Amino acid sequence: MSPALPNSFRSGPDERGHFGIFGGRFVAETLMPLILDLEKAYAEAKADPAFQKEMDGHLKHYVGRPSPLYFAERLTEHLGGAKIYFKREELNHTGSHKVNNVLGQIMLARRMGKKRIIAETGAGQHGVATATLCARFGLECVVYMGAVDVARQQPNVIRMEMLGAKVIPVQSGARTLKDAMNDALRDWVTNVHNTFYCIGTVAGPHPYPMMVRDFQSIIGIETRQQLQEVEGRLPDSLVACIGGGSNAMGLFHPFLDDPSVEIFGVEAAGHGLTQLHAASIAGGRPGVLHGNRTYLLMDEDGQITEAHSISAGLDYPGIGPEHSWLHETGRVNYLSATDEEALEAFQLLSRLEGIIPALEPAHAIAKVMELAPKRPRDHLMVVNLSGRGDKDVPQVGDILKGRNK
Amino acid sequence: MTTRIDARFAELAKQGRSAFVTFVMAGDPDPATSLDILKALPKAGADIIEIGMPFTDPMADGPSIQAAGLRALKGGMTLRKTLEMVRSFRKDDDATPLVMMGYYNPIYIYGVDKFLADAKTAGVDGLIIVDLPPEEDTELCLPAMKAGLNFIRLATPTTDDKRLPAVLANTSGFVYYVSITGITGAAAADARAVGEAVARIKRHTELPVCVGFGIRTPEAARAIAESANGAVVGTALVDALRGSLDAEGRATAKTVTAVADLAAALAQGVRGAKQAAE
Ligand SMILES: Cc1ncc(COP(=O)(O)O)c(C=O)c1O
């Protein structure tokens, strides 16, 4: 089923938004004119040096970029193999990589004259980033969040509200990220005339997967430069966790055409791949949801099944379409980490490096713990530390307390 | 190619009236009751029936139709069983047009070619697939036309004159004008604005134009039917069904009549409309 290998892994999508058979624009007619407008506005902005310049200024002074590339010395020693670097996206303003994309989309919304911003959020990091930039630019902000996630990511709910956003708990379905996205789409269909939908990952109808990837690619571009400065060469491998896949795509994309770079995406295996999980590549198949064709978790009748992950940000039954294509072409290897493995990595990293990671990148660290020991000491491995764990401290604290009793 | 839809509109034109189009969710609240409702609708005055294909994630539907789909899925409804239901309906009714309405994923997973063949033999006449705009015509629209099924497109208030030709290009059967920007069951449509929109669409096509979203009462149905070739009612019927269920969400002796009685009242509204200006 492997398609013919392309000349470049970086040329997609085609003009209809397809990465191989994946992607596309599977949306209601009400949204179609706006999506075409958005595509045009984005193409114009991308070609406008003033847009790029303004964005660079905000990235530097507001977000705090470039984020450091940090040699994780004690983790490297502990694992006894590859030399491990962290791309410290958790140090960005608002605490994760999400802000890179939100900044780009909010600037685009301003360009398009949209005054009302909506977003979906799982872990709340995308919601916080959106609420933050809406505060910064004086825009109305409404965030849809599954009721289950509202409960398990309380610190972020409080932050969003402090920033002036309205958080709407979503009660449908499993009350997690997928359901939040459904309700955000319903809001958008209803308020399409004045509303900009700021999607938080590399999913949704074209041009979102491409646009979010472009905004996040700063991660990989900086990594390339920074590693060149300290090591004088390319990395040997890259590792990132995958919810929809935006932090992963941001790190991977600038390296896709460097065949010596091994690339690993880590999905959430929840309770394990034979039980409830959120690993759509490992346990799903191609289908159509939320505007694009991609790997999805579903039953025989094409009904979407509920995902499970300890991490609200990975608890989604799909994945961005470009990842589906990178999987089928074999360019990227998709692995998965269970809730337990992520919890263990969360604790290890806190104690060894003095960095409390978010539960999402803890999944990436969990696989680093497997991959690094099998590689030689001169192997350079870069992990995307996509977010910090402050939001998870109450949840993980409760879980660990329950165990120590 | 003439389908039951074309025949029905030709007949209604002769009678000088607009169509009453009903939407019900297949398998809501269980397959047997749902088939009984389907059979009762033509007698109650439905000229065309849209059958919802349940889907877990109906992104253009409001709470009522979302809940109807989930009730149906809980009752074990699948796309295969929806087609069986159509087959059963066709045993006694070979005239009422049936249009299947829903989202693409279940069809994609069933297999497009197999679905079209099975739908055609079961007696389906048309398809309305909410998440397949003209940009994705190669997926299902073009194969459906080839298989002899009407592919009915949604036009919306955001579909401007520049875009209308693209939306109408591969549409057949009728055009479904969504009277509001929004999800099913939301705000009511303003009859005058709808009239203008219908006139605008008619400047671009010979096809009948039916209007839906936001029509709940016989009076509203009548007002819409004065300018459009058909008025579609969905959420109000689904709500009537829900209101007849017991505390566990199961059908009661009143379920079929609750839907049929409302349908009959709505049909009277549509029949009371002055003929749409042609
Ligand atoms: C810190 C962090 N990392 C990763 C993710 C997963 O999203 P994505 O796969 O788009 O990077 C999230 C989502 O909430 C997050 O908060």
Side-chain angles (χ1 to χ4, degrees):
Chain A
M1 131 149 235
S2 258
L5 284 192
N7 294 326
S8 166
F9 288 97
R10 305 183 65 229
S11 56
D14 67 18
E15 71 285 355
R16 291 165 61 222
H18 291 125
F19 304 92
I21 68 159
F22 300 102
R25 287 176 287 210
F26 297 88
V27 297
E29 170 61 23
T30 311
L31 296 177
M32 216 38 238
L34 185 73
I35 282 172
L36 296 173
D37 277 357
L38 175 65
E39 187 183 344
K40 193 159 151 269
Y42 176 58
E44 283 165 14
K46 201 171 162 178
D48 178 359
F51 183 84
Q52 200 53 52
K53 185 154 174 272
E54 191 190 341
M55 183 129 137
D56 289 345
H58 294 311
L59 282 172
K60 179 159 186 228
H61 302 289
Y62 193 71
V63 175
R65 301 205 71 92
S67 68
L69 186 72
Y70 162 77
F71 170 43
E73 191 175 357
R74 294 195 68 217
L75 182 66
T76 298
E77 249 169 52
H78 177 82
L79 296 176
K83 190 169 182 186
I84 301 162
Y85 281 89
F86 291 165
K87 181 60 173 163
R88 307 270 320 258
E89 291 298 302
E90 102 281 10
L91 292 177
N92 294 337
H93 181 41
T94 71
S96 81
H97 70 293
K98 296 285 182 188
V99 70
N100 304 325
N101 162 48
V102 173
L103 175 66
Q105 288 197 50
I106 294 296
M107 287 185 47
L108 196 57
R110 277 159 54 82
R111 235 177 125 94
M112 293 174 76
K114 303 280 181 185
K115 300 266 189 281
R116 180 174 180 270
I117 309 295
I118 59 170
E120 85 296 336
T121 197
Q125 288 302 119
H126 174 61
V128 165
T130 307
T132 298
L133 283 157
C134 285
R136 166 67 182 78
F137 290 106
L139 301 165
E140 183 188 347
C141 180
V142 175
V143 179
Y144 289 88
M145 187 170 189
V148 167
D149 295 338
V150 167
R152 64 177 159 172
Q153 304 276 252
Q154 261 299 307
N156 275 344
V157 176
I158 297 168
R159 286 166 83 196
M160 286 185 268
E161 285 172 349
M162 280 179 179
L163 291 159
K166 186 166 166 202
V167 179
I168 301 186
V170 174
Q171 300 292 353
S172 57
R175 295 173 291 149
T176 59
L177 186 51
K178 165 179 80 97
D179 313 290
M181 190 142 182
N182 285 336
D183 270 15
L185 282 163
R186 292 181 183 120
D187 178 312
W188 200 23
V189 166
T190 307
N191 299 298
V192 63
H193 57 284
N194 70 344
T195 297
F196 187 99
Y197 181 15
C198 182
I199 296 184
T201 191
V202 284
H206 178 65
Y208 281 98
M210 167 184 82
M211 182 169 78
V212 176
R213 173 200 73 197
D214 291 351
F215 292 140
Q216 290 292 4
S217 289
I218 182 89
I219 301 171
I221 292 167
E222 284 177 9
T223 298
R224 207 179 167 99
Q225 253 171 16
Q226 290 166 318
L227 201 68
Q228 188 64 38
E229 278 159 29
V230 288
E231 297 279 358
R233 66 181 183 92
L234 286 172
D236 297 301
S237 60
L238 305 172
V239 187
C241 68
I242 299 201
S246 68
N247 86 88
M249 194 57 71
L251 177 64
F252 299 168
H253 195 260
F255 296 100
L256 290 176
D257 284 335
D258 298 290
S260 68
V261 182
E262 259 189 303
I263 307 182
F264 299 96
V266 183
E267 299 189 287
H271 298 315
L273 291 180
T274 56
Q275 302 174 52
L276 277 179
H277 64 84
S280 31
I281 289 209
R285 57 194 165 128
V288 173
L289 179 72
H290 292 159
N292 60 109
R293 181 178 2 242
T294 195
Y295 273 72
L296 297 168
L297 300 179
M298 61 180 121
D299 69 13
E300 271 105 77
D301 189 42
Q303 305 297 337
I304 308 303
T305 48
E306 286 169 10
H308 164 79
S309 169
I310 189 174
S311 141
L314 308 184
D315 201 345
Y316 179 71
I319 184 169
E322 193 166 7
H323 284 292
S324 292
W325 179 73
L326 290 169
H327 164 66
E328 289 207 343
T329 54
R331 177 64 189 98
V332 175
N333 302 296
Y334 292 86
L335 312 171
S336 60
T338 62
D339 290 353
E340 276 308 315
E341 291 170 324
L343 268 175
E344 200 180 305
F346 179 98
Q347 296 172 78
L348 183 76
L349 199 65
S350 303
R351 300 205 176 179
L352 273 183
E353 293 287 351
I355 296 172
I356 300 179
L359 279 170
E360 290 80 16
H363 286 71
I365 300 293
K367 289 296 117 169
V368 167
M369 288 161 64
E370 274 179 30
L371 294 167
K374 296 184 199 139
R375 289 180 169 59
R377 286 179 178 274
D378 61 354
H379 178 106
L380 303 179
M381 181 175 281
V382 177
V383 195
N384 196 353
L385 209 61
S386 57
R388 65 177 90 124
D390 305 29
K391 69 187 175 64
D392 299 312
V393 164
Q395 185 197 2
V396 175
D398 284 350
I399 292 171
L400 298 179
K401 223 183 294 161
R403 286 187 185 173
N404 295 338
K405 260 187 205 144
Chain B
M1 165 187 93
T2 304
T3 64
R4 291 187 191 87
I5 298 174
D6 303 325
R8 177 57 46 103
F9 276 108
E11 184 188 310
L12 291 174
K14 255 190 245 153
Q15 291 176 29
R17 68 175 181 89
S18 297
F20 171 45
V21 186
T22 57
F23 170 93
V24 288
M25 182 64 75
D28 178 22
D30 62 75
T33 309
S34 186
L35 178 60
D36 288 344
I37 291 172
L38 205 62
K39 287 179 174 170
L41 285 171
K43 293 187 198 90
D47 298 305
I48 297 174
I49 302 175
E50 293 176 8
I51 304 176
M53 297 178 274
F55 183 49
T56 39
D57 295 270
M59 64 173 182
D61 285 302
S64 292
I65 291 179
Q66 285 174 46
L70 294 181
R71 280 195 299 271
L73 291 173
K74 211 172 130 213
M77 206 57 186
T78 60
L79 185 52
R80 193 174 50 74
K81 289 187 190 165
T82 302
L83 290 171
E84 269 167 31
M85 192 171 127
V86 169
R87 243 186 325 265
S88 304
F89 175 87
R90 277 280 171 252
K91 283 185 192 144
D92 327 307
D93 185 333
D94 198 35
T96 307
L98 295 179
V99 175
M100 290 179 70
M101 178 164 186
Y103 298 81
Y104 183 41
N105 196 55
I107 294 174
Y108 180 66
I109 295 307
Y110 192 100
V112 165
D113 293 337
K114 182 170 179 332
F115 169 77
L116 291 173
D118 291 356
K120 184 72 189 170
T121 40
V124 173
D125 303 292
L127 301 173
I128 301 176
I129 308 300
V130 177
D131 52 355
L132 286 177
E135 281 73 7
E136 302 292 349
D137 268 358
T138 52
E139 295 283 336
L140 184 65
C141 173
L142 300 180
M145 285 168 66
K146 223 193 254 168
L149 290 168
N150 288 135
F151 198 86
I152 294 144
R153 194 100 62 191
L154 304 173
T156 73
T158 60
T159 313
D160 60 17
D161 281 327
K162 206 171 94 228
R163 187 169 164 79
L164 254 180
V167 168
L168 296 172
N170 294 319
T171 303
S172 59
F174 62 93
V175 180
Y176 186 142
Y177 179 65
V178 175
S179 61
I180 52 165
T181 60
I183 53 180
T184 52
D190 168 51
R192 225 192 53 214
V194 169
E196 283 162 20
V198 169
R200 180 167 72 85
I201 294 169
K202 283 185 165 292
R203 285 198 290 275
H204 292 264
T205 182
E206 305 276 293
L207 288 170
V209 179
C210 295
V211 174
F213 283 44
I215 306 173
R216 300 191 63 93
T217 62
E219 296 70 38
R222 174 193 194 141
I224 295 293
E226 306 219 314
S227 60
N229 303 99
V232 189
V233 180
T235 298
L237 293 169
V238 167
D239 286 345
L241 184 154
R242 192 203 50 207
S244 75
L245 302 177
D246 69 13
E248 273 80 54
R250 289 173 307 209
T252 63
K254 285 182 291 190
T255 298
V256 176
T257 41
V259 179
D261 288 353
L262 178 60
L266 290 158
Q268 283 314 306
V270 172
R271 280 159 207 251
K274 290 193 286 297
Q275 162 66 350
E278 280 302 321

